[in-house]
PDB file of all heavy atoms in Angstrom:
ATOM      1  N   SER D  51      28.948  14.820 -26.019  1.00 98.00           N
ATOM      2  CA  SER D  51      30.005  15.831 -26.044  1.00 98.00           C
ATOM      3  C   SER D  51      30.223  16.402 -27.431  1.00 98.00           C
ATOM      4  O   SER D  51      29.853  15.823 -28.442  1.00 98.00           O
ATOM      5  CB  SER D  51      31.327  15.182 -25.586  1.00 98.00           C
ATOM      6  OG  SER D  51      31.229  14.745 -24.285  1.00 98.00           O
ATOM      7  N   ARG D  55      37.608  16.041 -32.826  1.00 96.00           N
ATOM      8  CA  ARG D  55      38.134  14.785 -33.398  1.00 96.00           C
ATOM      9  C   ARG D  55      37.257  14.369 -34.584  1.00 96.00           C
ATOM     10  O   ARG D  55      36.035  14.484 -34.519  1.00 96.00           O
ATOM     11  CB  ARG D  55      38.162  13.674 -32.347  1.00 96.00           C
ATOM     12  CG  ARG D  55      38.346  12.315 -32.931  1.00 96.00           C
ATOM     13  CD  ARG D  55      38.613  11.236 -31.923  1.00 96.00           C
ATOM     14  NE  ARG D  55      37.474  10.652 -31.228  1.00 96.00           N
ATOM     15  CZ  ARG D  55      36.452   9.990 -31.795  1.00 96.00           C
ATOM     16  NH1 ARG D  55      36.297   9.934 -33.129  1.00 96.00           N
ATOM     17  NH2 ARG D  55      35.508   9.442 -31.044  1.00 96.00           N
ATOM     18  N   ARG D  58      34.959   8.408 -36.218  1.00 89.00           N
ATOM     19  CA  ARG D  58      35.470   7.069 -36.583  1.00 89.00           C
ATOM     20  C   ARG D  58      34.387   6.394 -37.435  1.00 89.00           C
ATOM     21  O   ARG D  58      33.237   6.815 -37.404  1.00 89.00           O
ATOM     22  CB  ARG D  58      35.690   6.223 -35.322  1.00 89.00           C
ATOM     23  CG  ARG D  58      36.748   6.750 -34.433  1.00 89.00           C
ATOM     24  CD  ARG D  58      37.222   5.638 -33.455  1.00 89.00           C
ATOM     25  NE  ARG D  58      38.123   6.160 -32.454  1.00 89.00           N
ATOM     26  CZ  ARG D  58      37.789   6.361 -31.183  1.00 89.00           C
ATOM     27  NH1 ARG D  58      36.598   5.996 -30.757  1.00 89.00           N
ATOM     28  NH2 ARG D  58      38.638   6.864 -30.355  1.00 89.00           N
ATOM     29  N   TYR D  67      28.873  11.929 -30.870  1.00 97.00           N
ATOM     30  CA  TYR D  67      29.428  13.242 -30.550  1.00 97.00           C
ATOM     31  C   TYR D  67      28.767  14.255 -31.450  1.00 97.00           C
ATOM     32  O   TYR D  67      28.155  13.887 -32.455  1.00 97.00           O
ATOM     33  CB  TYR D  67      30.923  13.241 -30.878  1.00 97.00           C
ATOM     34  CG  TYR D  67      31.840  12.606 -29.853  1.00 97.00           C
ATOM     35  CD1 TYR D  67      32.394  11.355 -30.121  1.00 97.00           C
ATOM     36  CD2 TYR D  67      32.166  13.238 -28.680  1.00 97.00           C
ATOM     37  CE1 TYR D  67      33.245  10.722 -29.203  1.00 97.00           C
ATOM     38  CE2 TYR D  67      33.029  12.648 -27.759  1.00 97.00           C
ATOM     39  CZ  TYR D  67      33.552  11.390 -28.045  1.00 97.00           C
ATOM     40  OH  TYR D  67      34.380  10.799 -27.120  1.00 97.00           O
ATOM     41  N   GLU D  86      32.291  21.915 -19.001  1.00 98.00           N
ATOM     42  CA  GLU D  86      33.707  21.606 -18.848  1.00 98.00           C
ATOM     43  C   GLU D  86      34.269  21.322 -20.206  1.00 98.00           C
ATOM     44  O   GLU D  86      33.512  20.890 -21.093  1.00 98.00           O
ATOM     45  CB  GLU D  86      33.945  20.412 -17.906  1.00 98.00           C
ATOM     46  CG  GLU D  86      33.340  19.090 -18.359  1.00 98.00           C
ATOM     47  CD  GLU D  86      34.099  18.386 -19.504  1.00 98.00           C
ATOM     48  OE1 GLU D  86      35.307  18.513 -19.582  1.00 98.00           O
ATOM     49  OE2 GLU D  86      33.440  17.753 -20.329  1.00 98.00           O
ATOM     50  N   TYR D  95      37.541  18.324 -26.438  1.00 98.00           N
ATOM     51  CA  TYR D  95      36.289  17.673 -26.084  1.00 98.00           C
ATOM     52  C   TYR D  95      35.601  18.550 -25.053  1.00 98.00           C
ATOM     53  O   TYR D  95      36.217  19.050 -24.134  1.00 98.00           O
ATOM     54  CB  TYR D  95      36.532  16.302 -25.439  1.00 98.00           C
ATOM     55  CG  TYR D  95      37.135  15.256 -26.338  1.00 98.00           C
ATOM     56  CD1 TYR D  95      38.501  15.227 -26.575  1.00 98.00           C
ATOM     57  CD2 TYR D  95      36.354  14.304 -26.933  1.00 98.00           C
ATOM     58  CE1 TYR D  95      39.078  14.242 -27.385  1.00 98.00           C
ATOM     59  CE2 TYR D  95      36.897  13.313 -27.739  1.00 98.00           C
ATOM     60  CZ  TYR D  95      38.258  13.296 -27.959  1.00 98.00           C
ATOM     61  OH  TYR D  95      38.824  12.321 -28.745  1.00 98.00           O
ATOM     62  N   GLY D  96      34.287  18.748 -25.198  1.00 98.00           N
ATOM     63  CA  GLY D  96      33.562  19.574 -24.228  1.00 98.00           C
ATOM     64  C   GLY D  96      32.134  19.106 -24.029  1.00 98.00           C
ATOM     65  O   GLY D  96      31.520  18.506 -24.913  1.00 98.00           O
ATOM     66  N   ASP D 115      30.598  10.387 -20.263  1.00 95.00           N
ATOM     67  CA  ASP D 115      31.820   9.604 -20.584  1.00 95.00           C
ATOM     68  C   ASP D 115      32.877  10.670 -20.826  1.00 95.00           C
ATOM     69  O   ASP D 115      33.081  11.101 -21.963  1.00 95.00           O
ATOM     70  CB  ASP D 115      31.523   8.785 -21.832  1.00 95.00           C
ATOM     71  CG  ASP D 115      32.760   8.091 -22.399  1.00 95.00           C
ATOM     72  OD1 ASP D 115      33.904   8.433 -21.973  1.00 95.00           O
ATOM     73  OD2 ASP D 115      32.609   7.222 -23.246  1.00 95.00           O
ATOM     74  N   ASP D 117      36.873  12.430 -19.374  1.00 94.00           N
ATOM     75  CA  ASP D 117      38.170  12.052 -18.714  1.00 94.00           C
ATOM     76  C   ASP D 117      38.329  12.726 -17.351  1.00 94.00           C
ATOM     77  O   ASP D 117      37.438  13.439 -16.890  1.00 94.00           O
ATOM     78  CB  ASP D 117      39.343  12.328 -19.684  1.00 94.00           C
ATOM     79  CG  ASP D 117      39.698  13.817 -19.657  1.00 94.00           C
ATOM     80  OD1 ASP D 117      38.855  14.649 -19.330  1.00 94.00           O
ATOM     81  OD2 ASP D 117      40.874  14.131 -19.941  1.00 94.00           O
ATOM     82  N   ARG D 163      47.468   5.251 -27.100  1.00 85.00           N
ATOM     83  CA  ARG D 163      46.373   5.118 -26.105  1.00 85.00           C
ATOM     84  C   ARG D 163      46.848   4.323 -24.905  1.00 85.00           C
ATOM     85  O   ARG D 163      46.397   4.552 -23.772  1.00 85.00           O
ATOM     86  CB  ARG D 163      45.110   4.486 -26.747  1.00 85.00           C
ATOM     87  CG  ARG D 163      44.401   5.531 -27.553  1.00 85.00           C
ATOM     88  CD  ARG D 163      43.198   5.050 -28.280  1.00 85.00           C
ATOM     89  NE  ARG D 163      42.658   6.165 -29.039  1.00 85.00           N
ATOM     90  CZ  ARG D 163      41.487   6.792 -28.798  1.00 85.00           C
ATOM     91  NH1 ARG D 163      40.729   6.381 -27.878  1.00 85.00           N
ATOM     92  NH2 ARG D 163      41.128   7.837 -29.509  1.00 85.00           N
TER      93      ARG D 163
HETATM   94  P1  5GP K 301      37.345   9.040 -27.808  1.00 95.86           P
HETATM   95  O1  5GP K 301      38.090   9.907 -28.805  1.00 95.86           O
HETATM   96  O2  5GP K 301      37.963   7.665 -27.682  1.00 95.86           O
HETATM   97  O3  5GP K 301      35.882   8.994 -28.120  1.00 95.86           O
HETATM   98  O4  5GP K 301      37.494   9.726 -26.387  1.00 95.86           O
HETATM   99  C1  5GP K 301      38.717  10.023 -25.858  1.00 95.86           C
HETATM  100  C2  5GP K 301      38.633  10.433 -24.414  1.00 95.86           C
HETATM  101  O5  5GP K 301      37.967  11.688 -24.306  1.00 95.86           O
HETATM  102  C3  5GP K 301      37.853   9.484 -23.544  1.00 95.86           C
HETATM  103  O6  5GP K 301      38.615   9.232 -22.359  1.00 95.86           O
HETATM  104  C4  5GP K 301      36.587  10.217 -23.163  1.00 95.86           C
HETATM  105  O7  5GP K 301      36.124   9.887 -21.897  1.00 95.86           O
HETATM  106  C5  5GP K 301      37.074  11.659 -23.230  1.00 95.86           C
HETATM  107  N1  5GP K 301      35.991  12.577 -23.494  1.00 95.86           N
HETATM  108  C6  5GP K 301      34.920  12.428 -24.328  1.00 95.86           C
HETATM  109  N2  5GP K 301      34.115  13.488 -24.298  1.00 95.86           N
HETATM  110  C7  5GP K 301      34.634  14.349 -23.379  1.00 95.86           C
HETATM  111  C8  5GP K 301      34.230  15.620 -22.846  1.00 95.86           C
HETATM  112  O8  5GP K 301      33.215  16.225 -23.214  1.00 95.86           O
HETATM  113  N3  5GP K 301      35.042  16.182 -21.898  1.00 95.86           N
HETATM  114  C9  5GP K 301      36.150  15.571 -21.433  1.00 95.86           C
HETATM  115  N4  5GP K 301      36.861  16.188 -20.515  1.00 95.86           N
HETATM  116  N5  5GP K 301      36.569  14.361 -21.915  1.00 95.86           N
HETATM  117  C10 5GP K 301      35.818  13.773 -22.861  1.00 95.86           C
END
Side-chain angles (χ1 to χ4, degrees):
S51 297
R55 166 170 81 60
R58 295 199 189 106
Y67 281 104
E86 62 74 34
Y95 294 81
D115 171 348
D117 79 336
R163 283 178 183 247

